[in-house]
Amino acid sequence: MDSLWDTHVHLDTMPSPAQAARRADQQGVRSWVLVASSPDAYHQQSRLLAQGILSPIRYVRTVGLHPEIVHADGALQALRDIMDRGSVAAIGEIGLPAYRFLTREAFNRNWEWLYIQLSWAEARQLPVVVHAVHAGCEPMLRILEEFPGLRQVVFHWLKAPAEAVQEAASRRYYVGITPDILWRGRDRTLFTQVPPDLVLLETDAPCPHRPHNPRGEPHEIAELVRFLDAFSPLPGGWGELSVLNAQRFFGWAGQ
Ligand SMILES: [Zn+2]
């Protein structure tokens, strides 16, 4: 089997990425999707990558204008400049805010930019990493109806009402499952509503995943796979299927 994937990592906010890479390597989690929440985050990641700190991790990169952030005026153009250089495997994370109150001006601009980014994803046939949780999931599903030509969509670290999860799955959208499932009944219930071939495994590192754990790291994917193999066994195992799903979603173009 290929190395395990962590499909959602924020390299630029990780406190000790080189050590995290070593720990992930020891656990066989050697394929990471580096998600940038803004053009600035993307460039910060580029500086870190140029130092070689992720060796021997392979990675693909995504960038989008995160819906919970008040972006700089030139952020949309800066995003376009990055995409025009052809080095991104997906657009994201983009979506709707759930945790932060934005001013009307910031909210409206992010809303407008969400549509523009979705249209770019459709035109360029790039997958989309979506942040739309809780009450944001349902309106996001409505917005996505306006983009029937999107190649792939993943609702990353999804928490949402059962009907919304079922609708996402029926539309063949992927769902990001995190190590929260090890201890949270809510996430176990959600997981049982998603067909196995639509599951992507992710940590959203450095976001923490269990009570009293200060931060999350990609190596936790190995423990997540062991848990899923016991919780919901598959003939070939969750390691193999989760790798296939990730490769299919992102198209393997790792560096
Ligand atoms: Zn994230």
Side-chain angles (χ1 to χ4, degrees):
M1 189 185 73
D2 270 350
S3 66
L4 296 173
W5 282 59
D6 184 343
T7 64
H8 200 111
V9 179
H10 290 277
L11 177 66
D12 52 296
T13 53
M14 292 175 80
S16 46
Q19 287 93 321
R22 259 201 308 280
R23 284 189 279 269
D25 181 36
Q26 286 163 4
Q27 296 287 327
V29 187
R30 299 190 190 95
S31 301
W32 296 9
V33 177
L34 306 181
V35 178
S37 300
S38 68
D40 285 350
Y42 181 90
H43 294 307
Q44 171 63 9
Q45 291 182 12
S46 296
R47 285 189 284 276
L48 291 167
L49 292 168
Q51 297 165 16
I53 56 164
L54 277 200
S55 170
I57 303 300
R58 304 184 299 176
Y59 57 85
V60 295
R61 305 185 66 184
T62 85
V63 60
L65 303 177
H66 194 292
E68 314 261 5
I69 294 177
V70 180
H71 294 280
D73 288 345
L76 190 69
Q77 183 58 46
L79 173 66
R80 189 171 182 122
D81 292 344
I82 292 168
M83 290 173 53
D84 284 345
R85 291 200 293 274
S87 52
V88 300
I91 297 182
E93 54 190 290
I94 61 175
L96 296 171
Y99 300 117
R100 186 172 172 199
F101 178 80
L102 298 178
T103 64
R104 184 173 70 173
E105 185 187 14
F107 183 92
N108 286 348
R109 190 167 71 173
N110 280 5
W111 181 277
E112 181 68 25
W113 286 358
L114 169 63
Y115 278 78
I116 293 170
Q117 292 173 93
L118 288 169
S119 70
W120 289 351
E122 198 173 44
R124 295 171 189 233
Q125 286 295 286
L126 286 171
V128 178
V129 180
V130 164
H131 167 105
V133 295
H134 301 303
C137 183
E138 207 274 336
M140 191 69 212
L141 287 165
R142 301 285 81 76
I143 291 170
L144 288 169
E145 286 173 2
E146 297 186 40
F147 300 90
L150 283 173
R151 194 166 78 90
Q152 311 267 33
V153 174
V154 58
F155 278 78
H156 115 82
W157 197 350
L158 185 58
K159 319 74 150 152
E163 317 81 68
V165 177
Q166 285 155 11
E167 183 181 341
S170 73
R171 286 159 65 172
R172 302 294 298 163
Y173 296 151
Y174 288 66
V175 171
I177 299 294
T178 76
D180 263 16
I181 195 174
L182 271 73
W183 64 280
R184 263 200 163 143
R186 175 196 74 188
D187 293 56
R188 291 183 190 185
T189 305
L190 184 152
F191 172 79
T192 59
Q193 294 164 339
V194 182
D197 65 332
L198 295 178
V199 168
L200 296 183
L201 304 185
E202 58 161 296
T203 63
D204 203 10
C207 252
H209 280 292
R210 62 195 75 192
H212 318 302
N213 185 13
R215 69 182 67 99
E217 281 194 7
H219 72 80
E220 292 173 58
I221 293 292
E223 190 182 1
L224 175 56
V225 166
R226 287 193 292 274
F227 170 84
L228 293 177
D229 280 339
F231 178 69
S232 179
L234 292 174
W238 274 97
E240 187 174 305
L241 183 66
S242 64
V243 168
L244 284 174
N245 290 351
Q247 289 175 336
R248 187 178 344 107
F249 186 89
F250 289 100
W252 177 239
Q255 298 173 41

